[in-house]
Amino acid sequence: MVEEEIRKVVASGRSSIAITIPKKWVSALGIDVGSYVLLRFMGDHVAVVPLGRSMRDSGISNVVDVDRDNPDYVLRKLITQYLRGVDEVRVRFNGYTGIKGVVKDMVRERISGAEVIEEGSDYVVFRFVTPTPEVPIKRLLNRMVLTVLGMLKDSLDMLRGSVVEPEDIIDRDNEVDRLYLLIERLVMMGITDQSVLSKLGAGNSRELVNSLMVSKSIERAGDHAWRIAQIIGEASRMCCKLGELPIVDSIVELGLNSTDILREAVMAFINGDINDAMEVLDRRVVMRSKSLDVIKSIYGSGLHVDIGGRLMMIVESIRRVSEYSYDIAEITLDTYG
């Protein structure tokens, strides 16, 4: 239940003001005469935190009890704790110790700064080491998009017939996922702590939240870069080398245009440039027209359904990357327009 009261602000000396707080509220928080409290400026309000509680919460720990033989389920629960700001978490496997090694590998692969600090036959304690939030969020966005742009380029090179290992692109997709989760964790910290907000290089909470939205679009673009590589790899194992098909040149050109649009969209947000964002949106009609032309060419090529279907999936992934770029451009206009 939320309780509210209106209190008058009164003078207290030359450089301070005072506000009285209802006694039952401070008693419930364990605050008494002589207690110390932490005053935290939150942008549009001030939080009063009992100092003892603040110190206890600085190293939040939690326990995850495993109740099923599913490593992905355990990972999802650990990611939830990570995003909550938990510093340490104990995983108790409760008879499902057979998945312990898999869980450890998945956590190291997916969560930035995760390390095992204690382990027994039926439990593991993870610590999430978050870097001091003094790196601007936009620098992390730049790292993310550079990685995804490289993934897209290599996927398109695979389509042309170049020798690129799909596993290498998958590994880089995992790095993009780690960066996204790190950004989400830092954004949650910045929303609740004004001092962290300034260190992250955001002018206000809205800009910080919109940065998270941009990072999600970049992360999804990375998923499609990985998907393109996966489709090409499957095709080469099952039926043919797609790079030998004449129509591939048109698909690669479409992919390069989509890659360029993604780069321009993210840089427009990083630089707060609404004019560049508008130019990205202006390219939407032309790109959709080019996509339709390529799709018609695939339909009219007479290719076997296994081959034509895979080419259509590649074109769809390229189209989705463009759509995420337009989303980023619109976020830029909403943030800085």
Side-chain angles (χ1 to χ4, degrees):
M1 181 179 66
V2 177
E3 296 185 34
E4 295 181 338
E5 284 199 21
I6 296 177
R7 294 292 173 105
K8 185 178 181 179
V9 179
V10 297
S12 176
R14 294 184 177 180
S15 60
S16 299
I17 60 174
I19 306 171
T20 60
I21 302 176
K23 186 174 181 180
K24 63 179 180 179
W25 293 4
V26 295
S27 296
L29 294 173
I31 300 174
D32 204 348
V33 176
S35 298
Y36 287 92
V37 296
L38 173 67
L39 299 180
R40 180 174 290 158
F41 178 61
M42 308 288 282
D44 57 356
H45 63 282
V46 175
V48 180
V49 183
L51 191 56
R53 176 173 297 182
S54 174
M55 293 173 65
R56 288 194 302 271
D57 288 349
S58 63
I60 303 171
S61 64
N62 216 326
V63 175
V64 169
D65 281 305
V66 179
D67 57 4
R68 63 190 70 181
D69 190 20
N70 187 333
D72 289 316
Y73 173 76
V74 179
L75 176 65
R76 183 63 257 174
K77 296 189 75 171
L78 284 167
I79 288 175
T80 299
Q81 300 298 330
Y82 174 76
L83 296 179
R84 283 181 52 213
V86 169
D87 296 323
E88 293 181 11
V89 58
R90 177 182 294 265
V91 182
R92 298 191 296 214
F93 286 89
N94 299 322
Y96 297 97
T97 55
I99 65 173
K100 187 174 71 169
V102 177
V103 169
K104 287 165 56 180
D105 290 340
M106 292 175 72
V107 169
R108 292 190 184 105
E109 185 178 86
R110 293 290 304 279
I111 301 179
S112 179
E115 59 182 33
V116 175
I117 61 170
E118 186 181 341
E119 182 175 358
S121 61
D122 61 350
Y123 75 92
V124 176
V125 179
F126 292 100
R127 173 176 292 161
F128 303 130
V129 181
T130 302
T132 303
E134 294 181 350
V135 177
I137 284 289
K138 290 183 177 180
R139 189 176 300 175
L140 297 177
L141 290 177
N142 190 55
R143 282 179 55 188
M144 279 188 76
V145 76
L146 288 176
T147 303
V148 171
L149 292 174
M151 293 167 61
L152 286 166
K153 178 182 178 300
D154 287 347
S155 295
L156 295 172
D157 285 343
M158 281 185 67
L159 187 56
R160 284 195 184 103
S162 298
V163 178
V164 179
E165 293 298 328
E167 291 76 14
D168 177 54
I169 296 176
I170 293 172
D171 288 342
R172 281 180 278 167
D173 188 47
N174 290 332
E175 173 62 18
V176 172
D177 291 343
R178 283 193 293 269
L179 285 169
Y180 169 73
L181 290 175
L182 175 59
I183 288 173
E184 187 170 355
R185 180 174 168 102
L186 291 174
V187 167
M188 295 302 104
M189 294 169 60
I191 289 173
T192 58
D193 189 334
Q194 184 73 18
S195 64
V196 174
L197 177 65
S198 60
K199 291 176 182 177
L200 294 174
N204 50 56
S205 296
R206 181 186 179 192
E207 183 179 357
L208 198 60
V209 171
N210 286 351
S211 296
L212 178 59
M213 294 170 62
V214 170
S215 71
K216 185 60 179 177
S217 291
I218 298 172
E219 187 266 335
R220 287 173 173 167
D223 289 342
H224 283 284
W226 165 79
R227 180 60 179 152
I228 292 170
Q230 184 185 49
I231 292 168
I232 297 167
E234 289 174 353
S236 64
R237 290 191 300 270
M238 296 179 62
C239 59
C240 64
K241 294 186 181 299
L242 298 179
E244 298 173 352
L245 303 173
I247 197 172
V248 160
D249 288 340
S250 298
I251 299 175
V252 169
E253 181 183 356
L254 186 71
L256 292 174
N257 287 335
S258 182
T259 301
D260 189 48
I261 290 173
L262 176 64
R263 178 186 59 79
E264 291 180 5
V266 176
M267 294 311 299
F269 180 81
I270 289 175
N271 296 326
D273 193 323
I274 60 175
N275 291 324
D276 284 351
M278 283 299 301
E279 289 181 8
V280 169
L281 295 175
D282 288 342
R283 297 178 65 177
R284 179 158 41 190
V285 174
V286 174
M287 273 297 291
R288 287 178 176 172
S289 177
K290 289 182 178 179
S291 297
L292 287 174
D293 289 342
V294 172
I295 291 170
K296 289 176 183 178
S297 297
I298 295 173
Y299 275 125
S301 64
L303 292 169
H304 189 277
V305 65
D306 285 345
I307 301 173
R310 285 181 169 83
L311 292 177
M312 289 291 291
M313 287 190 288
I314 291 173
V315 172
E316 174 61 14
S317 283
I318 291 171
R319 188 191 67 80
R320 293 291 295 276
V321 170
S322 298
E323 293 295 332
Y324 292 132
S325 302
Y326 307 142
D327 290 343
I328 293 170
E330 289 174 349
I331 292 170
T332 301
L333 295 177
D334 293 342
T335 307
Y336 303 106

